[in-house]
Amino acid sequence: MQQQLSVKHLLGIKNISSEDIRLIFDTADNFKEVINRPIKKVPSLRDITIANVFFENSTRTRLSFELAEKRLSADVINFSSSNSSVKKGETLLDTVNNILAMKVDMVVMRHSSPGAPHFLSRHIKANIVNAGDGTHEHPTQALLDTFSIREKLGEVEGKKVVIIGDILHSRVALSNIFALQKLGAEVMVCGPNTLLPKYVRELGVKVELDVDKALQWCDVANVLRIQLERQQMKFFPSLREYSLYYGINKARLQKLDKQIVVMHPGPINRGVELSSDVADADNAIILDQVENGVAVRMAVLYLLAANK
Amino acid sequence: MQKRLILDGSLLDVTIRRLGQQLIENHQQFGQTVILGLQPRGVHLANRIHRYLEEQTGVQIPLGQLDSTFYRDDFRRRESPIRANSTNVPFIIEDKRVILIDDVLYTARSVRAALDAMIAFGRPRSVELLVLINRRYSRDLPIEPTYIGRSVNTLHSQRVLVEWQEQGAEKDQIWLIEKA
C-alpha cells in the first residue's frame, strides 16, 4: 500500500496519480475524526512554518487552509498582495524568496496567473500547494469535492457527475474533471455554449446544453458560480436569463424521477445559479464540502510535509 | 534469517487468561474502567482480553482503538511516513481508569505518542499499560508496563514479530527474529 505522495508539490490534479488521491482520502478520513474531537488539534507539523501567499482574494479557501494548518500545529504567516510590496513592483520570485529567507517550509499560494505555482516550484525548495491559479487548477477544491461525493455515495467510481455553469472561467471545473476521471467517474459539463471552452470535448467529457437533460442523466450536480469578475465581455444577455435557462431550482429537481446530490464550491449567488430552496435542502452537501475541506487540506499538508 | 519462537498459540491463551485475571483483581467490577487498544497491532490483543473479561465478569466494558501516528516525534525524520489508522473512542475517558494495551513494548516512543493522543480525549483518573511482550533494557523513555505477558531480553538487531490469526496468519505465534 502506498505510504507517500508521488509528488513534492501539489500543483494540480493533472500531475498526481489516482493512488495519490486515494492516499489523501484515507488520510483525510483520519483527520475528519480528529476535527470532530473535543480537542481538535494534533502536533504533527509543530516544527513547520507555512506561508499563505494570496495574490488574489479568497475567504473560504484561505480560512480553510489556515484552520487546517493550525489544527496540525504548524506556525502560520499570512500574506496578501493588497497590502504588500507587490504593489511597489517586486517580482513574484523575489517576493516568495524573501518570505522563504525567513525559514518557511511550505507555501500555499493563490495567484491570478495560470502556471504561477509551477513556475515557482522550479525555483524554490519549499513545498508548494496551489490554492488556485487563475482559470487553470484548484486542486484542493477538486479533492474535497470528490471526497464529499465518496462520503455521500460510498464511492466515486461509476458515478455520473455533471458540472454546470461557467466552465470557461472555472479552475474548479478543470481540477474536478481531472479528479473525477482519475477516480473512474463519468463527467459531463453543461452550460451556455459561450461559457464552454472550445477544447473541453478533448478532455473526454460529455457536453450538454440542456440543463434538464443533464440533471436527468447525473447522480451528482456540481453547480458553479457565474464568475462575473473574470468576464471581460458579455457571455449571456442577463443574469435573469441565465437563471431562467441554467439556474437549478426546486421545480427542475422535482421533474426528475430520482434524487440527485447537489454541490456548490461557494460562494453561492442565491437566485442565480442555485435557488435558496435547493441550496438549503437535505440533498445539498454544500456545508459538508466546507467541513471536508479542512480535513482534506490537513491531509495534503501532512503528506507533503513528509516529502521534504 | 534466524527465528526463535517466544510464544505459541496455547501458551498465548494461558497468558491472556492470566493478564485478564490480574485486571479483574485490580479493577473488580470495571465500573470506571475503559480499554484502549493501540493501533495497529495492539487492537487484536485488546479485543481478546476484552472478550475474556466480559465472559468472566459479565460486565460490558467500553473498548476503543487509539492511533498515535499524528502524535509521533519521528515524523519527517523517518525515511517514509507511517500510514495512519483509525481512532475510535466512542466514550468519555474523563475521570476513568484507562487500560492501554499494546503488543510489544520496545523504546516506549509509541506509548509516549499514545499518551498524548489519549489526553486529547480528556483527563483520565489513572492510566495503566498492558503489553504482551516487554523488551527489557531497550527503553528510550522512562515508561514501564503495569501488566506484562512475557519479558524478553533482546538486542537492537532483533525484532519481535507478532502474528495474529485476525491479521490472516495461520496460527497465533510470536517470534524473535534477526533483522535482515
Side-chain angles (χ1 to χ4, degrees):
Chain A
M1 205 161 33
Q2 190 177 347
Q3 309 266 344
Q4 207 164 353
L5 290 181
S6 64
V7 289
K8 196 182 157 218
H9 312 284
L10 181 67
L11 302 175
I13 302 292
K14 192 178 180 181
N15 43 24
I16 63 174
S17 66
S18 57
E19 286 75 35
D20 287 330
I21 299 178
R22 293 201 176 88
L23 176 63
I24 292 170
F25 283 2
D26 290 346
T27 312
D29 281 335
N30 294 317
F31 281 122
K32 185 151 185 189
E33 185 270 318
V34 168
I35 59 175
N36 281 297
R37 288 182 193 172
I39 297 176
K40 301 170 175 59
K41 200 164 170 160
V42 290
S44 309
L45 301 193
R46 67 192 147 196
D47 56 347
I48 288 189
T49 308
I50 303 176
N52 296 319
V53 185
F54 280 71
F55 292 96
E56 204 183 60
N57 289 335
S58 160
T59 318
R60 199 174 332 259
T61 306
R62 185 163 154 175
L63 279 179
S64 182
F65 265 111
E66 190 168 340
L67 207 52
E69 289 152 5
K70 288 182 170 166
R71 297 267 192 261
L72 289 165
S73 305
D75 289 319
V76 181
I77 53 171
N78 286 305
F79 165 97
S80 62
S81 61
S82 54
N83 46 16
S84 76
S85 298
V86 175
K87 287 246 155 79
K88 302 174 190 163
E90 194 173 46
T91 66
L92 171 62
L93 195 55
D94 280 340
T95 304
V96 174
N97 268 331
N98 274 282
I99 295 170
L100 292 181
M102 301 176 209
K103 304 290 175 219
V104 169
D105 306 285
M106 293 175 95
V107 176
V108 175
M109 186 172 83
R110 169 167 289 189
H111 200 282
S112 55
S113 299
H118 303 70
F119 162 76
L120 214 55
S121 71
R122 288 195 288 274
H123 292 94
I124 67 172
K125 278 205 301 207
N127 305 92
I128 298 170
V129 182
N130 180 2
D133 57 334
T135 56
H136 181 219
E137 280 226 48
H138 189 352
T140 54
Q141 179 70 43
L143 289 169
L144 75 91
D145 285 347
T146 42
F147 181 83
S148 303
I149 294 173
R150 166 181 176 266
E151 183 181 74
K152 181 79 178 174
L153 299 177
E155 60 179 323
V156 181
E157 193 171 350
K159 297 289 179 289
K160 294 174 175 169
V161 182
V162 62
I163 305 172
I164 301 171
D166 186 353
I167 313 295
L168 185 64
H169 297 95
S170 176
R171 52 193 173 212
V172 176
L174 189 61
S175 287
N176 257 287
I177 289 169
F178 290 140
L180 289 163
Q181 286 181 337
K182 288 190 182 198
L183 295 170
E186 278 187 75
V187 189
M188 177 187 278
V189 294
C190 174
N193 234 333
T194 47
L195 289 177
L196 299 177
K198 202 170 162 188
Y199 302 107
V200 72
R201 283 178 182 81
E202 290 172 20
L203 295 172
V205 301
K206 293 186 168 59
V207 177
E208 177 61 63
L209 300 177
D210 182 339
V211 77
D212 290 305
K213 284 184 188 159
L215 290 174
Q216 185 58 49
W217 172 84
C218 73
D219 302 310
V220 179
N222 196 351
V223 187
L224 303 180
R225 182 173 64 93
I226 290 297
Q227 305 204 19
L228 287 174
E229 76 276 15
R230 288 191 206 278
Q231 298 180 4
Q232 257 111 60
M233 52 179 265
K234 284 268 183 195
F235 288 89
F236 45 85
S238 70
L239 280 180
R240 193 176 142 80
E241 185 166 331
Y242 179 84
S243 176
L244 202 61
Y245 283 98
Y246 288 97
I248 311 299
N249 53 40
K250 208 169 179 182
R252 278 218 154 93
L253 295 185
Q254 275 170 348
K255 273 195 291 182
L256 309 177
D257 52 20
K258 59 180 177 181
Q259 254 220 344
I260 61 166
V261 178
V262 177
M263 305 173 68
H264 193 296
I268 310 174
N269 290 321
R270 282 179 186 257
V272 181
E273 69 267 5
L274 212 55
S275 70
S276 276
D277 46 8
V278 174
D280 303 328
D282 287 341
N283 56 332
I285 56 169
I286 298 164
L287 291 177
D288 299 287
Q289 289 173 265
V290 178
E291 183 188 345
N292 291 336
V294 177
V296 166
R297 291 185 172 109
M298 284 172 83
V300 167
L301 294 167
Y302 175 83
L303 291 167
L304 285 179
N307 283 10
K308 57 183 168 182
Chain B
M1 187 170 58
Q2 274 192 315
K3 238 177 158 187
R4 184 163 70 83
L5 190 64
I6 311 177
L7 279 180
D8 64 7
S10 57
L11 211 51
L12 184 67
D13 283 342
V14 174
T15 306
I16 287 175
R17 284 203 291 274
R18 196 234 317 143
L19 290 169
Q21 291 297 338
Q22 283 180 312
L23 288 172
I24 293 170
E25 204 172 25
N26 283 349
H27 290 258
Q28 281 120 36
Q29 288 311 305
F30 290 90
Q32 291 300 310
T33 304
V34 302
I35 295 178
L36 288 177
L38 301 191
Q39 290 276 24
R41 278 178 304 271
V43 297
H44 303 302
L45 179 63
N47 288 342
R48 295 220 194 164
I49 288 182
H50 182 256
R51 199 186 316 140
Y52 177 77
L53 290 175
E54 291 204 336
E55 280 166 15
Q56 293 295 309
T57 61
V59 184
Q60 290 217 328
I61 308 165
L63 170 69
Q65 293 85 36
L66 190 64
D67 182 66
S68 63
T69 310
F70 300 135
Y71 296 84
R72 295 188 66 91
D73 56 9
D74 55 359
F75 179 62
R76 276 162 71 87
R77 287 177 179 80
R78 302 174 68 93
E79 277 298 300
S80 68
I82 296 179
R83 208 174 163 125
N85 288 290
S86 62
T87 291
N88 179 27
V89 185
F91 43 78
I92 293 165
I93 67 164
E94 188 76 29
D95 214 26
K96 291 287 191 310
R97 299 176 66 186
V98 177
I99 305 168
L100 290 181
I101 297 186
D102 206 355
D103 58 348
V104 180
L105 180 64
Y106 178 36
T107 61
R109 281 181 190 267
S110 53
V111 175
R112 203 269 327 143
L115 287 169
D116 272 1
M118 178 196 67
I119 281 164
F121 290 91
R123 180 180 186 271
R125 192 194 310 168
S126 66
V127 186
E128 295 175 322
L129 174 63
L130 182 153
V131 297
L132 190 55
I133 302 295
N134 172 33
R135 296 181 65 171
R136 275 194 290 213
Y137 315 122
S138 56
R139 221 68 83 227
D140 289 351
L141 297 168
I143 290 172
E144 292 302 328
T146 325
Y147 308 95
I148 298 169
R150 169 161 300 200
S151 287
V152 289
N153 297 339
T154 60
L155 301 170
H156 284 298
S157 61
Q158 293 169 319
R159 193 162 77 84
V160 174
L161 175 68
V162 183
E163 294 179 332
W164 293 106
Q165 281 178 345
E166 288 91 328
Q167 285 187 310
E170 205 175 301
K171 45 188 176 182
D172 298 328
Q173 281 176 329
I174 298 171
W175 302 89
L176 188 63
I177 59 175
E178 291 293 331
K179 282 186 203 166

